[in-house]
Amino acid sequence: MKRIQLEIKVLSPLAIGRKKPGGSVSEAADYIPGSVIRGAMAAQILRQSGHQSTNFAENGGDFKAVFLGDNPAIFYNAYPATIEGQKQTRVQSDVRVVPATALSSKTQRGFKSKPNDSEHNGVFDTLIDRFCADGYGHLYDPTCPQDGDRVDTFTGFFSKIGSKHYSHSANTRLLTRVGINRRRATAQEGVLYSIEVLNESQIVGKKEKPVIYTGAILVADELAESLQSFITNHQQDFRLGGSTSRGLGKVKITANSPVDTTAVNPSVEERIKMFQHKLHKRWQDWQIFGQPQQDLLQNRTYFTIDLQSDTILNENWQRTTVISPEMLQHFAGVTDSSLQLHAAYSSYDYLSGWNSAWGLMKDVELITNKGAVYLFSTIQPNLWMERLEYLEVKGVGDRTCEGFGQVQICNEFHLILREEAV
């Protein structure tokens, strides 16, 4: 499959509804879901088909292959990509989700992105140390490496440039509207509601600049060029989210030339080797506390599954938030009786949505929140290398074509230990 990198420049506020808690305020997500991008592109293609002939509009044609075929395109979530500097704004395309095992100071939380940064105490990962502490029979209750104060979970999005890590976030604001009486087409007395929206701009220095999100589409090789060409020809025609008839959701989408998926990231095998090396070294360091209860590393290869998007999981027809060894074997198409799950760090939420094609609400789904981490081991690593690369492309769980279930194997952030906080 080919990967088309997307750069989404926001030109008006985005009403990307996350959930409605029961009041008069609609909450917004802090990113653009793949399902929203997928729906917007499908709608634009269908609208365009009424005006002129395109490859996507001729008797189903490519449209059916991209959205309804046996191997449909996968629309990744678009995460905030702008890094705010002192003099300029830089857009980073490789934005990742911070793992659930990451911690930072409660009082001065955040990455030490600037030289001699005194405002932030850094962020570090606890997966390897927690595993070692459990293996040696000790509790693990870390404190901030800078001041020894308390730490708390650190969430969000990040990217790495050189040796520095940077946080990415999306700003929101509330737009208050007056309800309309449908019979008289005038303002309805006593009816007010608010929409939380993603801001279309941000202040950089003294200038106001558009907010940019980065995402991607994975599509079959023979369809990549035509889809990229269609997006380029209609880059300012797409509308994302709700309330588009009221001026919201206007964006400009830039689609880069398709590239092969194998050329995007370092190989899975390389990342697993780096993780193995760090884990073995840390295991030896823990020997200062005595001997382990058992040698958990002997003849075993460890790797992690890191969720890069919300995921819909089910096992034996029941919803779950944990990827069991049996589920992972099923996802990867591998039979390995030696596969073990050693740790799972996950949380859940509920998610619904609106299906524009059917004009109906989508089913309420139990989702595993992005950032979840699962630590596995096996004594047959050769069975897994190629299949884990396949999972990074295809994802796990249900509705992967809408951006759910995207994973990364052995996120490099797990290599950042407490004394190496960044």
Side-chain angles (χ1 to χ4, degrees):
M1 298 184 77
K2 297 287 188 180
R3 179 187 177 102
I4 302 174
Q5 192 71 30
L6 301 180
E7 185 178 291
I8 302 175
K9 180 184 291 187
V10 182
L11 303 179
S12 69
L14 300 182
I16 308 293
R18 172 69 178 181
K19 59 183 177 181
K20 296 181 179 179
S24 58
V25 178
S26 175
E27 297 183 6
D30 56 354
Y31 64 97
I32 304 175
S35 57
V36 171
I37 301 173
R38 183 175 185 263
M41 291 197 174
Q44 178 59 31
I45 291 171
L46 293 177
R47 281 196 299 268
Q48 188 68 22
S49 66
H51 301 287
Q52 64 183 43
S53 178
T54 68
N55 289 337
F56 288 97
E58 295 172 357
N59 195 28
D62 291 347
F63 180 89
K64 181 178 179 181
V66 169
F67 295 98
L68 304 172
D70 296 331
N71 186 29
I74 299 174
F75 291 79
Y76 284 3
N77 296 339
Y79 295 138
T82 305
I83 298 175
E84 297 184 23
Q86 295 179 349
K87 297 182 179 180
Q88 61 181 358
T89 297
R90 178 171 180 174
V91 176
Q92 179 69 2
S93 61
D94 188 19
V95 179
R96 296 290 182 182
V97 177
V98 177
T101 49
L103 298 179
S104 185
S105 168
K106 289 180 69 72
T107 56
Q108 293 181 292
R109 56 194 294 107
F111 291 109
K112 296 184 287 187
S113 303
K114 301 176 183 179
N116 302 319
D117 193 340
S118 60
E119 298 179 0
H120 307 99
N121 285 346
V123 185
F124 62 95
D125 193 82
T126 60
L127 176 65
I128 291 178
D129 274 329
R130 288 185 187 278
F131 172 79
C132 293
D134 186 63
Y136 278 81
H138 294 282
L139 294 175
Y140 183 66
D141 187 18
T143 57
C144 177
Q146 290 288 105
D147 55 21
D149 205 347
R150 296 181 63 186
V151 292
D152 199 2
T153 303
F154 185 82
T155 60
F157 310 105
F158 78 99
S159 65
K160 183 180 179 182
I161 302 177
S163 61
K164 296 293 185 180
H165 292 72
Y166 298 86
S167 287
H168 298 258
S169 61
N171 297 322
T172 63
R173 72 177 188 269
L174 287 176
L175 299 180
T176 301
R177 297 289 186 262
V178 178
I180 300 299
N181 185 303
R182 293 183 181 275
R183 182 173 60 86
R184 293 185 289 114
T186 57
Q188 179 66 38
E189 183 178 356
V191 178
L192 289 175
Y193 65 96
S194 295
I195 304 174
E196 188 177 33
V197 297
L198 297 173
N199 287 335
E200 71 277 23
S201 62
Q202 60 186 351
I203 303 298
V204 179
K206 296 182 179 180
K207 296 182 179 180
E208 189 172 3
K209 295 190 175 182
V211 175
I212 294 176
Y213 294 79
T214 182
I217 304 173
L218 262 60
V219 64
D221 293 359
E222 63 274 13
L223 300 173
E225 293 291 343
S226 58
L227 180 57
Q228 188 264 344
S229 177
F230 182 87
I231 297 172
T232 300
N233 293 335
H234 302 87
Q235 57 183 341
Q236 297 199 54
D237 297 334
F238 298 101
R239 298 293 181 270
L240 302 181
S243 300
T244 56
S245 61
R246 283 168 271 180
L248 304 186
K250 185 177 181 180
V251 296
K252 177 182 178 181
I253 302 181
T254 302
N256 295 339
S257 299
V259 297
D260 194 84
T261 54
T262 58
V264 177
N265 295 314
S267 69
V268 166
E269 185 174 1
E270 179 182 345
R271 275 177 272 146
I272 291 178
K273 286 182 179 179
M274 293 171 61
F275 183 79
Q276 279 286 102
H277 175 75
K278 196 78 169 185
L279 179 60
H280 278 261
K281 186 177 184 302
R282 196 63 166 183
W283 183 266
Q284 294 175 358
D285 293 342
W286 272 79
Q287 289 182 1
I288 62 174
F289 298 108
Q291 294 300 314
Q293 297 175 340
Q294 58 177 316
D295 188 359
L296 298 176
L297 302 187
Q298 186 175 10
N299 300 323
R300 300 197 71 86
T301 298
Y302 286 77
F303 62 90
T304 68
I305 304 291
D306 297 89
L307 298 188
Q308 294 299 302
S309 66
D310 295 334
T311 303
I312 303 172
L313 301 171
N314 65 80
E315 186 175 24
N316 296 326
W317 304 99
Q318 293 182 329
R319 294 301 186 194
T320 181
T321 62
V322 176
I323 300 178
S324 67
E326 293 75 21
M327 292 171 64
L328 185 59
Q329 292 179 68
H330 172 71
F331 292 146
V334 173
T335 301
D336 181 7
S337 59
S338 69
L339 184 68
Q340 294 182 16
L341 173 65
H342 296 272
Y345 302 87
S346 62
S347 59
Y348 71 92
D349 201 350
Y350 294 96
L351 184 68
S352 183
W354 181 260
N355 189 319
S356 297
W358 288 92
L360 297 171
M361 289 289 294
K362 294 180 179 179
D363 293 336
V364 177
E365 301 279 8
L366 175 70
I367 60 171
T368 305
N369 289 327
K370 57 185 178 297
V373 179
Y374 307 94
L375 177 63
F376 289 92
S377 73
T378 178
I379 62 174
Q380 304 182 76
N382 292 334
L383 291 176
W384 287 94
M385 296 303 175
E386 183 178 345
R387 300 311 297 173
L388 290 176
E389 289 185 356
Y390 167 82
L391 290 184
E392 282 199 334
V393 174
K394 288 292 188 177
V396 300
D398 298 338
R399 293 169 59 183
T400 54
C401 61
E402 299 177 31
F404 292 99
Q406 297 306 312
V407 301
Q408 184 184 22
I409 310 302
C410 289
N411 190 321
E412 295 177 1
F413 199 85
H414 295 309
L415 307 181
I416 302 173
L417 304 179
R418 177 179 176 274
E419 64 272 17
E420 304 164 348
V422 295

